Amino acid sequence: MDFSDKVVYQIYPKSFSDSNGDGLGDIRGIINHLDYLKTLGVDYIWSTPFFVSPMNDNGYDIADYRAIDPRFGTMADVEELIAEADKRGIGLMFDMVFNHTSTEHEWFQRALKGEQKYIDYYIFKDGTPDKPPTNWESKFGGNAWEYVPHLGKWYLHLYDVTQADLNWENPEVRAELKDILRFWKSKGLKGFRFDVINVISKPAEFVDDDQGDGRRFYTDGRHVHEFLKELVADSGIDGMITVGEMSSTSLDNCIRYTNPNEHELSMAFSFHHLKVDYKDGQKWELMPPDIAALKKLFATWQEGMAAAGGWNAVFWCNHDQPRAVSRFGDGQSTAAKMLATAIHFMRGTPYIYQGEELGMTNAGYTSIEQYRDVESLNYYNIMLKNGKTVEQALETLAARSRDNSRTPMQWSADKYAGFSTVEPWIIPPDNYTSINAQNEVDAPDSVFNYYRQLIKLRKALKIIADGDIKFIEPNNNDVLAYERTLGDEKLIVLCNFREHNVKVDAYDGFEKLLGNYDGLERELRPFEAVVLKK
Ligand code: NOJ
C-alpha cells in the first residue's frame, strides 16, 4: 500500500482536550474534535500512548499494553474513538512502545520477585553496586543502568530509570509483542507508530564506550531488521501504515526499514534535520539553526531515499520537539506557512503535530516551576551542576524543552485556551488569545486554512505525492529550494529561512501556485515561501 498522498495528524492526548474538567486531556476530548480534523482533511490520527502507566514519561512508560489508563478514559471510549474516526474516513494509529516497559509492568514486577522467566524479559547483568556493567548514558541523563540490591543485578534503561529495556533476543518477548499488535489490530486500528524502534537490538557483548554514550553499540543494532520483519509478518500488520521512530539512524538503514520489498515498515522518522541548532551536536547547547546544514541534510535524505525506494515521514514538530515556528521562524504566521510548505511538497508522508496547523509557538516559560517533563527537569539540574547559571539553564529550556510542544491545544480565547474548564496540568502560552482554532477555522488567510490547502493539493496533484525530487540553488544559504518532476510537469519550491528579503534564481515559464512571487524581482520576503508550477 502506498501512503504518498496521505497526511497524518499527531495527537498528544494529555494536551489535546479535557472533556471532564480534571485539567488533563482525554479520549473523549479527541472524539469531541474529530469534526475539526475532518475539516482539516487528514487521513490518519497517530495518538501517543494512553495505556495504563505511572506517567513518569507521560505514558511512554507502559504498565499494561492492553488497558486504558483511567485518567484518559475507558476501553469503550477508545472503541468509540476508532468507530467515530472511521465514520469520518480517518484511521487510527496507536503508539507501540516496545523498546522498554514501565518498571510497574507485571513482567518487571515478577522479574523483581526473582522469577527467572521474567528476568530474561529484560536486560539484567550480575554485578556489585559500585560498578555498572558499562559506562553507557541514559538519554535522559545519568548512567543507563540501575542496581537491584536484592537480586545482585543491574538492569538497562536507555531512558528513565522506570523504563526498563526489553530483551528482544528472547523469542518469548517477541511473541508477547506480536500478540499486543494482534490485539489492537482486531480493535480496528489502521496502523502503528513504533517508539525508538531502532534501538531494540542490543549487542552480544556489553562493553564500555570510550567514544560516546554507548549508542553506537545498539543504534540500528545487529538484529534490528530481522526482528522487524518477524514482528510485522507474524502479527499480520504488513501493508498497514506503520512508522518507526529512528533515533540517530543512518540513511542506509532507513532505506532498509522502509523499502516495500523489505516488508518492514511503511515509513521512518529520522531526526538529523532537527539537530542543526545543536552546538557541537549537543542538545543542551544553543546556537541559531545552520540553514546550509539543513539544506544538505534534506537533500541527502530526500534524494537518497528516493534513489533506493525508501519512504520518509516528513515533519518538523512532535511532542519531543520545540515548536518549529519559534525555532526556525519568528513565531508569526508567515513563517508557519513557509515551514508547512517546505515539508508538504517534499517526497514523503507529512505529519502535522497538534497546534502546528494553527501556528502554535513555544511556551515562553520563565521559571522552572512551569516545566513538567522528566527530561527537562533532569537536564535543568545537570546544567546547574555543570556550571550554567539559573538564567542560562532557563534560557536553554525555553528553547529546547519538550514541554514547548506539550502546552494545551489552543482551541479558543477562553480561559485556559478552551482546553479545559480548570487549570490545566501545564499552562498555555499567553498568545492563545490570538492563536487559536476558533479564530482560524473560518479565516481564509489563517495558518489553519493554509494547511487545509496543502492537504488538498497533495491529493489533487500527483506530482506532489509521486514526483521525483531534486534539491536546487545549492549555494544559496538562505533558501531551501527543490524541484519536483513528474513527466513534463515541474514544481519549484522556494522557502526563505531568513528574516530579510533574499534573492533566488529566475524561473522563466513558471506560474505561481502558492505564495507572493508576483511583483517581486526574484526576491522572497522574510520567512516567505513560493511554489511555482510548469
Ligand atoms: C520517544 C518518545 O517520542 C519520547 O516521548 C519518549 O520519552 C521516548 N521515546 C522514550 O519512550
Side-chain angles (χ1 to χ4, degrees):
M1 166 111 180
D2 182 357
F3 300 101
S4 61
D5 66 348
K6 304 290 185 257
V7 177
V8 182
Y9 188 87
Q10 184 195 349
I11 291 183
Y12 195 69
K14 195 174 176 183
S15 302
F16 191 65
S17 176
D18 170 19
S19 74
N20 62 351
D22 63 358
L24 302 172
D26 45 48
I27 310 233
R28 191 141 297 280
I30 306 177
I31 298 173
N32 292 344
H33 289 98
L34 285 172
D35 285 334
Y36 168 85
L37 298 177
K38 170 91 183 140
T39 305
L40 181 59
V42 297
D43 302 283
Y44 295 96
I45 295 171
W46 149 34
S47 173
T48 63
F50 38 61
F51 311 110
V52 168
S53 161
M55 299 286 163
N56 294 323
D57 189 18
N58 280 343
Y60 281 93
D61 44 332
I62 296 177
D64 186 344
Y65 290 92
R66 292 183 180 79
I68 307 307
D69 194 288
R71 282 166 281 198
F72 288 114
T74 63
M75 186 60 90
D77 293 335
V78 169
E79 285 164 354
E80 188 179 328
L81 170 64
I82 297 170
E84 285 299 319
D86 196 52
K87 279 189 202 157
R88 292 163 177 82
I90 300 175
L92 258 299
M93 300 163 70
F94 285 178
D95 208 320
M96 296 292 121
V97 186
F98 283 174
N99 175 64
H100 43 264
T101 72
S102 163
T103 49
E104 289 189 16
H105 194 288
E106 187 196 346
W107 302 335
F108 195 83
Q109 288 298 311
R110 293 179 74 168
L112 286 184
K113 288 194 183 113
E115 283 187 51
Q116 193 57 48
K117 172 178 162 80
Y118 292 102
I119 291 179
D120 293 341
Y121 271 36
Y122 295 91
I123 301 174
F124 276 98
K125 297 283 168 205
D126 290 334
T128 49
D130 52 311
K131 196 179 172 324
T134 68
N135 66 348
W136 300 1
E137 282 166 35
S138 150
K139 312 251 183 197
F140 292 166
N143 186 271
W145 298 90
E146 182 71 7
Y147 193 63
V148 184
H150 72 274
L151 294 178
K153 293 179 196 298
W154 295 83
Y155 69 86
L156 179 69
H157 62 91
L158 293 183
Y159 294 86
D160 188 50
V161 60
T162 62
Q163 292 167 303
D165 280 53
L166 284 165
N167 175 16
W168 276 69
E169 296 298 316
N170 180 348
E172 286 181 57
V173 168
R174 305 203 298 274
E176 298 266 18
L177 302 178
K178 292 171 200 168
D179 236 32
I180 295 166
L181 290 177
R182 285 186 212 107
F183 173 84
W184 283 112
K185 186 181 170 193
S186 74
K187 294 268 180 205
L189 282 198
K190 295 292 188 295
F192 297 97
R193 179 255 191 195
F194 291 100
D195 190 60
V196 290
I197 197 68
N198 69 326
V199 304
I200 55 175
S201 176
K202 312 297 193 285
E205 302 279 326
F206 287 78
V207 292
D208 279 351
D209 187 355
D210 53 13
Q211 295 169 28
D213 62 6
R215 71 182 63 190
R216 67 197 173 101
F217 295 129
Y218 54 74
T219 302
D220 302 316
R222 59 196 173 125
H223 293 137
V224 66
H225 293 286
E226 169 188 331
F227 287 162
L228 269 176
K229 285 185 171 70
E230 183 193 295
L231 182 80
V232 165
D234 293 359
S235 59
I237 64 164
D238 200 14
M240 292 171 80
I241 181 167
T242 52
V243 58
E245 185 199 29
M246 306 300 175
S247 161
S248 305
T249 189
S250 70
L251 175 60
D252 286 348
N253 275 294
C254 281
I255 291 165
R256 290 177 68 191
Y257 292 130
T258 64
N259 184 312
N261 300 330
E262 299 285 335
H263 298 280
E264 294 185 15
L265 301 173
S266 32
M267 61 197 87
F269 291 119
S270 66
F271 293 90
H272 301 281
H273 65 294
L274 296 175
K275 297 183 180 170
V276 295
D277 52 1
Y278 288 12
K279 193 165 162 214
D280 304 323
Q282 302 298 316
K283 173 167 178 175
W284 304 100
E285 296 296 336
L286 303 181
M287 72 170 197
D290 178 343
I291 303 306
L294 183 76
K295 290 185 64 169
K296 271 204 197 101
L297 280 163
F298 273 132
T300 305
W301 278 80
Q302 285 277 311
E303 292 174 7
M305 289 286 263
W311 191 253
N312 299 287
V314 288
F315 72 107
W316 289 117
C317 297
N318 67 26
H319 62 290
D320 294 329
Q321 297 293 330
R323 293 283 181 178
V325 69
S326 302
R327 184 176 187 178
F328 295 100
D330 56 0
Q332 303 297 315
S333 60
T334 302
K337 292 176 186 173
M338 180 279 283
L339 290 162
T341 310
I343 288 292
H344 281 251
F345 282 89
M346 280 187 190
R347 181 181 172 278
T349 301
Y351 282 65
I352 302 170
Y353 177 65
Q354 64 183 46
E356 180 184 335
E357 78 282 9
L358 302 173
M360 272 178 63
T361 65
N362 277 352
Y365 295 157
T366 51
S367 110
I368 191 65
E369 282 70 43
Q370 294 169 305
Y371 288 94
R372 300 287 176 269
D373 171 34
V374 57
E375 183 198 43
S376 305
L377 299 174
N378 285 353
Y379 270 97
Y380 178 72
N381 290 323
I382 293 172
M383 285 188 277
L384 295 185
K385 219 167 84 203
N386 290 345
K388 281 204 167 140
T389 63
V390 167
E391 290 69 35
Q392 286 166 334
L394 286 175
E395 189 200 349
T396 309
L397 285 189
R400 292 292 145 82
S401 169
R402 305 194 297 180
D403 282 338
N404 283 308
S405 55
R406 298 176 181 186
T407 59
M409 176 74 176
Q410 293 172 198
W411 292 109
S412 72
D414 295 347
K415 198 163 180 203
Y416 310 129
F419 163 79
S420 176
T421 51
V422 301
E423 181 165 330
W425 69 280
I426 188 167
I427 59 164
D430 296 339
N431 61 21
Y432 74 83
T433 50
S434 53
I435 300 175
N436 64 60
Q438 200 177 40
N439 276 352
E440 294 196 30
V441 171
D442 295 323
D445 287 338
S446 65
V447 177
F448 179 87
N449 276 303
Y450 194 79
Y451 269 87
R452 253 182 104 187
Q453 193 183 358
L454 292 178
I455 296 170
K456 279 200 184 128
L457 279 172
R458 176 166 283 264
K459 297 186 184 311
L461 304 181
K462 214 172 149 39
I463 185 171
I464 302 176
D466 297 331
D468 290 333
I469 189 159
K470 191 170 127 232
F471 281 70
I472 55 177
E473 304 222 18
N475 300 320
N476 181 340
N477 283 342
D478 302 320
V479 174
L480 179 79
Y482 54 86
E483 66 177 31
R484 305 290 311 269
T485 315
L486 190 69
D488 295 340
E489 287 176 61
K490 231 183 225 314
L491 288 179
I492 302 281
V493 181
L494 303 164
C495 300
N496 179 8
F497 275 74
R498 302 293 179 197
E499 229 160 334
H500 49 82
N501 284 14
V502 299
K503 291 269 181 220
V504 290
D505 290 345
Y507 296 99
D508 296 330
F510 283 83
E511 63 190 55
K512 189 190 75 167
L513 181 67
L514 281 177
N516 286 315
Y517 197 60
D518 314 38
L520 286 174
E521 264 297 284
R522 295 168 45 195
E523 217 171 59
L524 299 182
R525 288 190 283 239
F527 293 125
E528 197 167 64
V530 168
V531 182
L532 307 173
K533 185 172 183 304
K534 176 138 66 184

